[in-house]
Amino acid sequence: MGEGYAQSLEIKRKAVAEAFAAHFEGKETPEILPVRPSETLRGYRASSKLAFSRRDRLAGLGIYREGSHDVVDIPRCPIHNPLISLAVKELSPLASKLLPLLPYGKKTGWLRYAAFTASEAQGKLLVALVTADDSQAGILSSLAARLREKLPFLSGVVRNVNPTQGNEIFGPKWENIWGEGFITERFLDITARAGAGAFLQANRSQANAAYREILRLLAPTKEDRALDLYCGVGAITLNLAKAAGEAVGIEINPVAVADAKVSARENSIKNASFVEASAEE
């Protein structure tokens, strides 16, 4: 672990410590332990959301420059899962054939974002394309077909419709273009299903380490009822349910809740339930 990475981990630890101190308003606060380093510093990010752009006659995929909507192309990113890197490499030239439909300067285009979710357990990749409306179905089908030719590990291509001009990447409407609209990933003792709009921890090995620590600290028994707030696709909830008497997950994202319910059935876990609601409610 290099000196720069060690400093980064300490910055994160201090941020958590400062948040606790502000919350407790000067009272005694719990000790914040050092951040556990990642097992690997390259190729670990298994989820990514990138914005489309165009420069002259070429399409780009990248991230927003700080404080702006200027897209910085990142054709290669050392922390991306290799499947994502290969998909970005193939998708950019295909999108270059759709230049009139891409964002340019301050103008919002029809094809807005691409989101990638890799499954390390399956060796598969799910691609979500975000468009400004639900038109041009033929173009998306053709784009999906070309991606399938280039990426044999592709599990599915889905469309999300987001007509708003804000900073939210996804809108409420989803449509399956080709293949499966989800991937499955292994977290400790369960296999979790995740659709394109559901959240997964981007560093899968770190997620497993965190979930293992949660179970160690809580040490649930069959006498316990566990409540998992902001549960996402239910990876923690389902692992808790295997040891606890009951586990309930609360999540506001309907896509994630649907995935969690399917995962409970497929893992034969009957003492877990999921509620679509905000944690505050």
Side-chain angles (χ1 to χ4, degrees):
M1 183 174 67
E3 181 180 353
Y5 184 50
Q7 291 175 343
S8 173
L9 297 182
E10 178 57 16
I11 289 171
K12 293 177 180 180
R13 190 200 68 80
K14 287 182 177 178
V16 175
E18 290 169 0
F20 268 85
H23 179 75
F24 283 94
E25 297 180 346
K27 298 178 182 178
E28 185 178 355
T29 59
E31 178 188 6
I32 306 301
L33 300 176
V35 178
R36 294 188 186 181
S38 175
E39 293 180 359
T40 178
L41 302 185
R42 290 178 175 268
Y44 67 82
R45 187 174 184 86
S47 301
S48 183
K49 302 179 183 71
L50 302 178
F52 280 104
S53 66
R54 59 179 163 129
R55 301 282 191 276
D56 298 324
R57 303 299 302 170
L58 295 175
L61 269 172
I63 57 177
Y64 289 127
R65 192 184 305 278
E66 184 177 5
S68 77
H69 281 138
D70 295 332
V71 176
V72 179
D73 294 342
I74 50 171
R76 293 173 301 278
C77 180
I79 68 171
H80 275 162
N81 178 289
L83 301 186
I84 295 177
S85 296
L86 289 171
V88 172
K89 179 182 177 181
E90 297 297 342
L91 184 55
S92 293
L94 292 176
S96 293
K97 300 177 181 180
L98 306 174
L99 285 179
L101 302 176
L102 298 181
Y104 182 73
K106 296 184 180 298
K107 296 182 179 180
T108 300
W110 175 78
L111 186 58
R112 303 179 62 184
Y113 303 101
F116 308 90
T117 307
S119 166
E120 295 185 351
Q122 293 178 299
K124 297 287 187 178
L125 182 72
L126 176 64
V127 176
L129 300 173
V130 181
T131 61
D133 56 47
D134 58 6
S135 66
Q136 315 278 13
I139 288 178
L140 283 190
S141 295
S142 176
L143 190 57
R146 297 295 300 276
L147 280 176
R148 288 160 52 194
E149 294 174 0
K150 301 288 186 178
L151 307 173
F153 51 81
L154 195 65
S155 68
V157 179
V158 300
R159 183 228 288 262
N160 176 266
V161 179
N162 182 7
T164 67
Q165 300 300 310
N167 291 323
E168 290 288 335
I169 291 179
F170 295 134
K173 184 176 180 179
W174 292 89
E175 174 188 1
N176 205 36
I177 302 299
W178 171 83
E180 296 178 331
F182 61 90
I183 56 99
T184 60
E185 190 64 276
R186 191 72 182 172
F187 292 107
L188 300 186
D189 291 333
I190 64 99
T191 298
R193 166 175 163 152
F199 172 79
L200 285 180
Q201 294 288 347
N203 188 327
R204 306 289 199 257
S205 66
Q206 282 291 79
N208 273 295
Y211 299 167
R212 191 174 295 111
E213 185 70 0
I214 288 170
L215 292 175
R216 185 188 72 81
L217 291 170
L218 291 178
T221 70
K222 292 302 180 182
E223 303 299 318
D224 294 321
R225 183 171 188 254
L227 186 63
D228 182 12
L229 305 182
Y230 313 97
C231 72
V233 298
I236 297 175
T237 318
L238 295 173
N239 274 293
L240 282 169
K242 293 179 76 70
E246 181 187 6
V248 181
I250 311 295
E251 170 61 45
I252 200 169
N253 183 341
V255 174
V257 172
D259 287 337
K261 291 179 177 179
V262 170
S263 295
R265 291 196 300 270
E266 292 185 345
N267 285 273
S268 300
I269 296 175
K270 299 180 179 180
N271 62 329
S273 58
F274 296 91
V275 180
E276 182 186 331
S278 69
E280 295 83 354
E281 292 173 354

